[in-house]
Amino acid sequence: MKLFPRLLLAAASLTLGFVTVDAKYVSAANINYAFTVDSPITKGNGFFSFDDSTLSNESNPVATINSLSFQFDGDSSVYTEQDDTKYPEFPVVFPTTSLTGQTSFALDYLFNDKSNTSSSISYEIIGDDFTIFSRTSPDAEPISGRVSYTQVPEPTPLVGALFACSLGWMMKRKVTSMKIKSNLD
């Protein structure tokens, strides 16, 4: 009879483990990234997501962005994927490899200044390069900055793992209380 609770605990843990792994693979198609822009005159933060199953089969694969949100620090304007000058074909993401050999995804995004509609200022993000330039003054010096990216994990596998651990802990407490009760009898 003492073997049954252990088998039940093992079976429940194994089942939940498989459910957690399956949930991870099912939700893995939607990739989320946070990014930060840093230049001498402005900084900003954003977020984008895309479906990795839509990557093209070209030698340099790209995928169209599902959603994008970006805002410069101290500016109330929020830029989205629809602000790209070539929307709906752009913005896109593409795989890139860092100097350390780590592969991630980066943006190709070109958008005009929304905070001042009469402005001729445009912003461009290509990979880890950020450029501010004038559309009407070709002699104006462009301003360069950097972009950094961080992949944001999907919450589904984390919730599943937390659930599995909690259930395992509760089952262990139940087995321990059953052992104590049987020893008292």
Side-chain angles (χ1 to χ4, degrees), residues 35 45-47 68-72 75-84 109 111-116 121 123:
F35 65 100
N45 295 296
F47 174 84
L68 183 144
S69 176
F70 175 74
Q71 188 171 20
F72 288 111
D75 186 355
S76 62
S77 299
V78 176
Y79 298 89
T80 69
E81 69 278 1
Q82 294 178 2
D83 293 314
D84 194 293
Y109 182 41
F111 55 104
N112 298 325
D113 188 2
K114 281 173 56 170
S115 62
N116 181 358
I121 300 293
Y123 307 99

Side-chain angles (χ1 to χ4, degrees), residues 1-18 163-179:
M1 190 68 180
K2 291 181 180 182
L3 183 60
F4 180 73
R6 288 185 182 168
L7 286 175
L8 181 64
L9 176 63
S13 298
L14 188 60
T15 302
L16 287 173
F18 286 132
F163 177 73
C165 290
S166 298
L167 185 64
W169 178 73
M170 289 184 334
M171 292 297 290
K172 183 178 180 183
R173 284 188 54 174
K174 177 84 171 167
V175 169
T176 303
S177 70
M178 289 173 65
K179 281 183 182 180

Side-chain angles (χ1 to χ4, degrees), residues 31-166:
I31 308 294
N32 301 308
Y33 271 86
F35 65 100
T36 303
V37 168
D38 188 8
S39 77
I41 63 168
T42 190
K43 298 176 188 310
N45 295 296
F47 174 84
F48 66 88
S49 67
F50 68 98
D51 184 346
D52 68 347
S53 68
T54 63
L55 281 167
S56 63
N57 291 327
E58 303 165 5
S59 59
N60 295 319
V62 297
T64 306
I65 296 289
N66 289 344
S67 69
L68 183 144
S69 176
F70 175 74
Q71 188 171 20
F72 288 111
D73 294 351
D75 186 355
S76 62
S77 299
V78 176
Y79 298 89
T80 69
E81 69 278 1
Q82 294 178 2
D83 293 314
D84 194 293
T85 60
K86 296 179 184 174
Y87 181 80
E89 291 82 22
F90 282 83
V92 296
V93 295
F94 57 92
T96 183
T97 305
S98 69
L99 295 175
T100 61
Q102 184 177 359
T103 301
S104 65
F105 288 91
L107 277 173
D108 184 346
Y109 182 41
L110 174 63
F111 55 104
N112 298 325
D113 188 2
K114 281 173 56 170
S115 62
N116 181 358
T117 54
S118 63
S119 172
S120 65
I121 300 293
S122 288
Y123 307 99
E124 184 175 43
I125 297 173
I126 298 181
D128 60 357
D129 294 322
F130 174 67
T131 308
I132 304 170
F133 64 94
S134 171
R135 294 184 310 277
T136 58
S137 301
D139 296 335
E141 186 72 27
I143 299 168
S144 297
R146 304 300 290 167
V147 182
S148 59
Y149 301 92
T150 306
Q151 186 170 0
V152 179
E154 281 289 321
T156 304
L158 299 176
V159 170
L162 180 63
F163 177 73
C165 290
S166 298

